[in-house]
Amino acid sequence: MRLAVTPEQIGLCGCWQIVAVRRERDELNPKTGKLSDLIAYYASSLACEECSDDQMLQTIRDHWSAIENGIHHRRDVTFGEDACRIANRRAAQAMATLRNLAIGLYELEKDRGHGSADSCASWCRQMTFTGAYALLHQ
């Protein structure tokens, strides 16, 4: 369901529509047989006339696909973020910042065509502070 709004009505600068998407999901474990039903809401800067319902759904799918298959997968697989049990909030935030920095430096190297490592994990094992500092000051 899509609803046309104005930024003044909704109180969000640049928001021209609200989208509600109903998600039904089966659990992967067939023994439980659970089905979850969730409604997710999205705010968009696109006006309703600028895209069809199908285009909006594809945009939402693409967004989540990029997050799950891109950054989240890399953070969890390469850095074991989901398994990390840091309880202190500030320490957890510092670790997340360091993970973001490492991923950003790796992507910077890849974009510049200098990356010789096959993956972010092997690149991180080879990187030194001096090398990272040099990357930031190029």
Side-chain angles (χ1 to χ4, degrees):
M1 181 179 116
R2 298 190 314 162
L3 175 66
V5 295
T6 66
E8 292 79 19
Q9 287 173 319
I10 200 74
L12 294 172
C13 182
C15 180
W16 293 100
Q17 70 174 304
I18 300 297
V19 180
V21 177
R22 182 176 178 201
R23 293 189 184 126
E24 294 178 355
R25 184 179 69 119
D26 290 324
E27 289 277 332
L28 292 177
N29 184 351
K31 292 180 182 179
T32 61
K34 290 183 180 178
L35 180 73
S36 67
D37 193 14
L38 172 74
I39 296 179
Y41 297 94
Y42 299 90
S44 175
S45 60
L46 292 173
C48 285
E49 308 81 46
E50 291 183 67
C51 66
S52 68
D53 288 348
D54 290 338
Q55 289 171 320
M56 181 57 73
L57 284 174
Q58 190 58 50
T59 300
I60 292 169
R61 284 187 192 108
D62 291 347
H63 169 76
W64 283 108
S65 177
I67 289 173
E68 285 300 318
N69 297 329
I71 193 72
H72 178 77
H73 182 265
R74 181 175 290 159
R75 290 175 71 131
D76 189 34
V77 172
T78 303
F79 297 109
E81 189 172 62
D82 287 351
C84 182
R85 298 293 177 235
I86 296 174
N88 181 288
R89 189 177 193 91
R90 287 189 180 176
Q93 187 174 11
M95 285 302 299
T97 301
L98 291 172
R99 289 181 191 110
N100 287 338
L101 176 63
I103 292 168
L105 289 173
Y106 174 71
E107 290 297 324
L108 187 62
E109 272 288 87
K110 267 183 31 180
D111 287 345
R112 291 179 179 167
H114 300 144
S116 60
D118 293 340
S119 68
C120 186
S122 63
W123 180 84
C124 285
R125 284 190 294 271
Q126 298 168 20
M127 183 52 60
T128 63
F129 175 79
T130 306
Y133 186 79
L135 278 175
L136 291 171
H137 287 80
Q138 285 183 358

